[in-house]
Amino acid sequence: MMLTPESLAQIDREVAKYPADQKRSAVMSALRIAQVEKGWLSSDTIKFVAEYLGIAPMAAHEVATFYNMYDRAPVGKYKITVCTNLPCALSGGVDAGEYLQKKLGIHFNETTADGKFTLKEGECMGACGYAPVLLVNNHTMCNHMTPDAIDRKLAELN
Amino acid sequence: MTVYVKGVVFDGVDFDDPNSWSIDAYIQRGGYAALKKIIAEGITQDAIIAELKTSSLRGRGGAGFPTGLKWSFMPRSFPGQKYLVCNTDEGEPGTFKDLDIIVNNPHALIEGMIIGGYAMGITVGYNYIHGEVFEAYERFEAALEEARRAGFLGDNILGSEFCFQLHAHHGYGAYICGEETALLESLEGKKGQPRFKPPFPASYGLYGKPTTINNTETFASVPYIVREGGQKFLELGKPNNGGTKLFSISGHVNRPGNYEIPLGTPFADLLEMAGGMRGGKKIKAVIPGGSSAPVLPGHIMMETTMDYDAIAKAGSMLGSGAVIVMDETVCMVKALRRLSYFYYEESCGQCTPCREGTGWLYRVVDRIERGLGRPEDLDLLESVGKNIAGRTICALGDAAVMPVQGMLKHFRDEFLHHIEHKKCLVPGF
């Protein structure tokens, strides 16, 4: 099996939310669960998810390439996404992005040499009142990320 | 930071108590009383919809469509499966109110959806949650489990004949899915590309079945209306703009956050609640309803009240209630460049005018910002805008054009200065 029994059980719980003839609705969650386990979505993983749900591989591939939180190439152990959209930018979002680039020695869309951190510039995360905002590995939101707070977060992840 | 004045959506929520979201705390503050009343007194579907019409509740997601009217569109006698969908795909820059609801008062939304299911004869619902807020999605899942265990969700609710199942669906990063038909496509496990309307979701929605879609805050307002009466809700606000509204304030204020206040409150009062301008600087401009709403100069906003009709009269729209405040140091060319990039990045690519046009808007604003603008560029922006607006399947095209039009209407001098002098008129962001 390509995914662990734990991941498959999670996917099964998602499938159960939808009508029996609409398993396709679970493809977004299934890809998310697969990505959490594998770190990123290879074509083989996408194909496996599609077959597990009984849908065409291309249908899953379309979803994996349309939504921007799916990673179609390997990323570092920690993927950090910084929101630089206007409301965040007015409250230090761009500064947080620059500070992270300097601190990690990489630009956006790059990964540190030790494979630990990937840095991404993101669009609105729906948390503008808590700017600057970072998202770690798609699922952990970090609010009010001043340079000091970024230092603490990086130390904790390291 | 969340504040409520006359609490409807956040009625009684204690933001310092980590358990205030739980079902026990919600019931203690009067939660699920509306649902119990409906079941115990056998209140009819028509009576609930009439109450909503009295309340003048309007869709809180941005369009402001009257909720009672929308609910009356659902063909209740349709023999097959019907669906109820909540739109918590909140990704309009500036908006962060629905996140606050599903984290801090998820049962208000759940109760509102159950009542919606009852009023429209629907037995299955989904709440589509924005991708980037995974922790909030998990919170909502936990709240659903509580509601199931307490007998508010599932078969034979509170011993009645009424059955309603509700599930959460997690998005994964696409602004376009906030558009209701793109959201339906996404719920079906496809790319989130909007559908042509008509047919409208009320006749052809999720899996091709009749579907009603409302915003999170809209549903979360329903229990109060049923419990206290539509008239009382209406009187919290003003005619045609009933009730309270959540305003998400971001940008150059001292206390950014969500403020639930009566519709019709003066903007000046809202600004004061948010602690006033950061660093005591002068207010320059406000985007009053999320990034898609045309910007308004600060002096106009200071004379305006916060409701659908007043903001429309001032030349913009209330939208989702996201208020982005900018002080005198903001370069409007730079601000617009960031917004234009957003629409370019988020266009789903389905319609040529939007897919190509948003790229044009971004590239032209970008070259003006970089000192490479040409004298004819402002006309070019207007021409590109005219070729996008009204020519696409969904409103994302219009949403990309409105910020450009608003900026050129009110801050044209700054753009001209950029083109002529190849630098900003003001120093800051």
Side-chain angles (χ1 to χ4, degrees):
Chain A
M1 271 306 201
M2 207 165 159
L3 294 175
T4 61
E6 291 75 25
S7 292
L8 295 178
Q10 278 185 51
I11 293 175
D12 292 344
R13 278 200 294 277
E14 295 295 329
V15 168
K17 292 178 178 177
Y18 308 97
D21 59 348
Q22 299 290 348
K23 283 172 87 174
R24 181 176 182 175
S25 281
V27 68
M28 291 183 70
S29 301
L31 288 170
R32 186 233 314 150
I33 292 159
Q35 177 165 291
V36 168
E37 185 187 319
K38 299 284 185 189
W40 65 289
L41 291 176
S42 68
S43 294
D44 285 346
T45 307
I46 294 170
K47 189 161 173 266
F48 174 82
V49 167
E51 281 163 2
Y52 190 76
L53 295 176
I55 63 175
M58 183 49 78
H61 183 84
E62 277 187 353
V63 169
T65 52
F66 186 85
Y67 298 90
N68 65 28
M69 288 164 66
Y70 297 116
D71 293 308
R72 288 287 289 113
V75 291
K77 187 175 176 198
Y78 300 107
K79 182 177 83 164
I80 300 179
T81 314
V82 192
C83 178
T84 58
N85 207 309
L86 180 61
C88 276
L90 295 171
S91 293
V94 174
D95 301 334
E98 281 169 4
Y99 186 76
L100 273 163
Q101 293 183 63
K102 205 175 91 194
K103 186 96 187 175
L104 296 172
I106 52 174
H107 296 107
F108 284 127
N109 299 317
E110 289 178 358
T111 300
T112 52
D114 60 3
K116 216 154 202 182
F117 295 100
T118 298
L119 198 54
K120 296 262 180 191
E121 191 172 16
E123 289 301 347
C124 188
M125 298 169 186
C128 324
Y130 320 113
V133 176
L134 311 179
L135 199 57
V136 179
N137 287 348
N138 296 322
H139 292 174
T140 309
M141 181 92 76
C142 308
N143 299 332
H144 304 298
M145 297 307 281
T146 55
D148 283 351
I150 290 173
D151 286 347
R152 283 195 299 275
K153 189 76 208 172
L154 291 180
E156 179 196 315
L157 296 177
N158 251 321
Chain B
M1 175 98 200
T2 309
V3 162
Y4 62 86
V5 178
K6 288 181 181 173
V8 176
V9 170
F10 283 128
D11 201 19
V13 175
D14 179 356
F15 289 89
D16 295 323
D17 174 3
N19 291 317
S20 191
W21 68 274
S22 68
I23 196 164
D24 293 343
Y26 181 67
I27 289 171
Q28 242 173 31
R29 56 181 180 259
Y32 289 110
L35 178 65
K36 287 177 191 159
K37 183 176 150 184
I38 288 170
I39 302 286
E41 297 176 15
I43 297 175
T44 64
Q45 296 174 322
D46 287 329
I48 294 169
I49 292 174
E51 209 60 58
L52 276 184
K53 286 182 175 166
T54 303
S55 75
S56 113
L57 173 65
R58 292 169 64 171
R60 302 300 198 222
F65 192 81
T67 306
L69 191 59
K70 187 183 260 191
W71 285 21
S72 70
F73 290 158
M74 168 56 71
R76 275 180 275 159
S77 55
F78 180 82
Q81 185 66 57
K82 303 183 280 288
Y83 292 100
L84 188 65
V85 174
C86 176
N87 184 345
T88 310
D89 191 22
E90 175 179 58
E92 170 94 356
T95 315
F96 49 96
K97 65 187 180 68
D98 299 334
L99 168 66
D100 215 348
I101 294 172
I102 60 170
V103 169
N104 292 306
N105 206 15
H107 287 285
L109 167 60
I110 295 171
E111 187 183 5
M113 288 193 76
I114 299 169
I115 294 170
Y118 178 92
M120 290 177 275
I122 301 172
T123 57
V124 179
Y126 293 97
N127 182 20
Y128 190 107
I129 298 173
H130 191 49
E132 283 83 348
V133 295
F134 184 71
E135 291 142 315
Y137 165 78
E138 289 188 309
R139 165 67 56 85
F140 189 74
E141 285 272 39
L144 283 178
E145 205 43 53
E146 284 186 326
R148 288 181 193 121
R149 275 202 304 267
F152 295 123
L153 275 178
D155 291 334
N156 303 106
I157 292 170
L158 300 173
S160 71
E161 297 286 296
F162 171 53
C163 308
F164 187 69
Q165 314 287 341
L166 181 56
H167 303 286
H169 181 101
H170 186 220
Y172 228 54
Y175 167 68
I176 189 63
C177 291
E179 198 280 342
E180 60 180 14
T181 60
L183 184 149
L184 294 176
E185 288 286 301
S186 185
L187 249 175
E188 292 180 3
K190 301 170 188 163
K191 291 182 288 182
Q193 292 190 317
R195 301 172 179 171
F196 262 117
K197 288 191 280 194
F200 290 93
S203 52
Y204 189 93
L206 182 63
Y207 309 128
K209 304 294 183 193
T211 302
T212 299
I213 309 173
N214 283 121
N215 168 259
T216 317
E217 186 186 349
T218 312
F219 279 123
S221 303
V222 169
Y224 178 93
I225 293 168
V226 171
R227 208 171 58 231
E228 307 288 334
Q231 190 60 30
K232 193 167 166 189
F233 181 83
L234 172 64
E235 284 165 8
L236 289 173
K238 62 188 234 188
N240 200 34
N241 296 266
T244 58
K245 170 91 191 77
L246 284 174
F247 290 99
S248 305
I249 306 191
S250 62
H252 290 147
V253 295
N254 279 312
R255 288 195 298 272
N258 285 316
Y259 296 82
E260 183 183 359
I261 55 172
L263 280 167
T265 301
F267 170 75
D269 293 0
L270 179 59
L271 182 60
E272 201 183 316
M273 269 179 240
M277 297 299 293
R278 202 194 298 159
K281 290 206 169 63
K282 214 176 131 203
I283 186 167
K284 177 173 183 174
V286 177
I287 301 177
S291 62
S292 308
V295 67
L296 290 173
H299 67 88
I300 292 181
M301 283 304 294
M302 294 304 277
E303 302 294 316
T304 304
T305 58
M306 298 305 288
D307 56 84
Y308 296 96
D309 298 339
I311 299 279
K313 206 173 149 204
S316 187
M317 57 185 199
L318 192 75
S320 55
V323 182
I324 306 169
V325 179
M326 293 177 268
D327 72 20
E328 57 196 325
T329 67
V330 175
C331 166
M332 299 314 264
V333 182
K334 205 182 264 185
L336 180 59
R337 178 176 69 169
R338 188 61 187 83
L339 291 181
S340 291
Y341 181 78
F342 170 72
Y343 291 103
Y344 165 56
E345 169 75 22
E346 297 293 339
S347 171
C348 82
Q350 189 175 207
C351 309
T352 311
C354 174
R355 182 184 67 233
E356 300 302 319
T358 51
W360 274 88
L361 292 178
Y362 167 65
R363 285 189 299 272
V364 174
V365 176
D366 178 59
R367 80 182 178 210
I368 297 173
E369 165 61 20
R370 287 190 293 119
L372 301 169
R374 303 164 194 172
E376 66 272 21
D377 274 354
L378 300 190
D379 289 341
L380 179 59
L381 285 175
E382 273 160 8
S383 152
V384 173
K386 278 190 196 127
N387 281 296
I388 301 174
R391 295 170 193 269
T392 54
I393 290 175
C394 86
L396 190 141
D398 297 359
V401 174
M402 280 191 281
V404 177
Q405 288 173 338
M407 286 288 189
L408 292 183
K409 181 176 172 195
H410 293 292
F411 298 98
R412 198 174 189 92
D413 288 355
E414 254 181 71
F415 286 78
L416 288 171
H417 184 94
H418 253 272
I419 291 170
E420 207 174 310
H421 300 280
K422 313 207 176 301
K423 61 178 184 188
C424 296
L425 193 61
V426 286
F429 173 84

